[in-house]
Amino acid sequence: MDNTTYNNYIKAGAIAARVLSDARKKVVSGATYLNIIQQTEQMITDAGAQLACPSTISVNDIAAHYTPLLNDTSTIGDNDVVKLDIGVMIDGCIADTATTICLDSNYNDMNNTAKSALEKALKLAIPGTNVGNIGGVIESEIISKGYNPIVNLSGHVLSSYELHSGFSIPNIKTNTKDTLSEDMVLAIEPFVTDGRGLIKEINKVQIFRYIAQRPTRLPAARKLLDLAKTKYHSMPFTSRWISDVSPLMLDSALRQLSDSKAIYLYPVLKETGSGIVAQAEHTVIVRDKPIVTTKI
Ligand code: MN
Ligand code: MN
């Protein structure tokens, strides 16, 4: 990794850490999801960084991929368990980090379990580690505290303008040949639940990503696909960001692009046992002494 790249990862990580810590304070009973997320994204761009993906706010048994649209009036409840997950980018170098805010202190133990599983995993971000062993460490920490890891969510390798590049970093012990090498950049993200430990997609999609150029009849769809590829660098985006396509045309444009497999959909993910979910995530550069970029 050259110096410029390294410095961009460090810079993106520092911005992400500071923004997430400030964003946490906005998660209070009665606050709207939309306000929290719009302020979070504003803090990222005000800091001179780009959004690597829409910031998400996933509450209680919603595990991931929830980002409010402009007409979303949902508010934080008195006893909610709230996951904030953000992606910050400088010149394609990504920092991906998440935190959980428990308004009900009964879930502090679950949240602490996500954090301790993450800390143990980060120590293994050294050259030569088999990623199946990282999953094993995360799984046993979570099971030892009496919870379940979510088995079908995992961490990932980051690369230039790519959030999911190469293999996954599992949250359970797996048999794999995938092994870490120096200077790989990883996002590690244990999800802990008192439910079944399995998520499913629900019929709500707020996040999309460019896949490929496809023939489209609708001018609005062509315009949207161009934005997805160029303005959003083929990275995840939300319809909430789109102001240059008529709101009346937006849904049909998205549907047409999805039907023709020009864009990929990220449906909202829900715990199948309706368990509460806590998540912790950091980005780390693989070294003999791992460099966690997203810690303050
Ligand atoms: Mn994330
Ligand atoms: Mn991630």
Side-chain angles (χ1 to χ4, degrees):
M1 182 183 296
D2 63 38
N3 271 340
T4 310
T5 306
Y6 177 82
N7 289 335
N8 284 339
Y9 273 114
I10 297 297
K11 226 154 101 181
I15 291 170
R18 185 172 49 73
V19 167
L20 197 59
S21 141
D22 288 347
R24 279 183 65 92
K25 298 172 197 150
K26 303 185 187 298
V27 178
V28 293
S29 177
T32 65
Y33 295 9
L34 184 61
N35 244 323
I36 294 167
I37 288 304
Q38 286 188 317
Q39 290 184 69
T40 301
E41 293 181 351
Q42 187 71 48
M43 289 191 276
I44 295 170
T45 51
D46 283 350
Q50 285 184 300
L51 302 165
C53 56
S55 299
T56 61
I57 181 162
S58 304
V59 178
N60 298 335
D61 61 349
I62 299 300
H65 296 173
Y66 191 106
T67 199
L69 301 186
L70 290 172
N71 60 358
D72 194 325
T73 55
S74 312
T75 56
I76 303 291
D78 292 341
N79 297 300
D80 281 350
V81 173
V82 180
K83 281 81 65 190
L84 283 180
D85 194 337
I86 66 172
V88 172
M89 181 165 72
I90 293 181
D91 269 351
C93 299
I94 300 165
D96 184 4
T97 183
T99 188
T100 300
I101 302 100
C102 301
L103 298 188
D104 179 343
S105 59
N106 287 318
Y107 293 98
N108 286 348
D109 184 62
M110 184 192 288
N111 188 16
N112 288 334
T113 301
K115 292 196 272 186
S116 60
L118 176 58
E119 286 309 315
K120 290 189 169 175
L122 289 169
K123 291 197 169 73
L124 296 178
I126 55 178
T129 296
N130 181 292
V131 300
N133 293 336
I134 298 182
V137 161
I138 291 172
E139 180 178 25
S140 43
E141 173 70 6
I142 295 172
I143 298 286
S144 78
K145 298 285 165 64
Y147 300 106
N148 287 319
I150 293 188
V151 301
N152 53 346
L153 282 174
S154 50
H156 43 104
V157 177
L158 299 165
S159 65
S160 180
Y161 291 103
E162 262 192 287
L163 263 169
H164 292 249
S165 145
F167 48 69
S168 295
I169 315 296
N171 287 324
I172 51 167
K173 172 80 188 157
T174 58
N175 278 314
T176 170
K177 290 195 166 66
D178 297 334
T179 299
L180 301 183
S181 51
E182 180 155 296
D183 283 354
M184 273 182 170
V185 186
L186 315 176
I188 305 181
E189 47 185 316
F191 287 81
V192 181
T193 183
D194 56 4
R196 285 181 65 201
L198 196 70
I199 48 94
K200 65 169 181 205
E201 297 177 347
I202 64 170
N203 189 19
K204 190 190 267 281
V205 188
Q206 302 149 327
I207 302 177
F208 310 86
R209 176 173 53 77
Y210 175 87
I211 303 175
Q213 215 59 46
R214 308 272 187 215
T216 41
R217 282 171 288 115
L218 209 60
R222 279 200 292 276
K223 169 89 183 162
L224 186 56
L225 193 58
D226 182 55
L227 289 172
K229 185 182 182 181
T230 53
K231 186 171 182 185
Y232 304 124
H233 304 279
S234 306
M235 300 192 66
F237 67 93
T238 171
S239 43
R240 172 168 47 82
W241 293 348
I242 311 287
S243 53
D244 8 12
V245 171
S246 150
L248 291 170
M249 298 305 294
L250 194 52
D251 281 344
S252 44
L254 285 166
R255 201 169 318 113
Q256 193 174 105
L257 293 173
S258 152
D259 287 347
S260 67
K261 302 212 163 20
I263 58 170
Y264 180 87
L265 312 185
Y266 294 89
V268 172
L269 302 175
K270 181 184 179 303
E271 216 288 317
T272 57
S274 296
I276 297 293
V277 179
Q279 173 203 17
E281 179 177 28
H282 277 304
T283 295
V284 59
I285 303 174
V286 174
R287 294 277 171 94
D288 288 327
K289 206 171 171 299
I291 298 165
V292 181
T293 63
T294 46
K295 276 190 184 172
I296 282 181

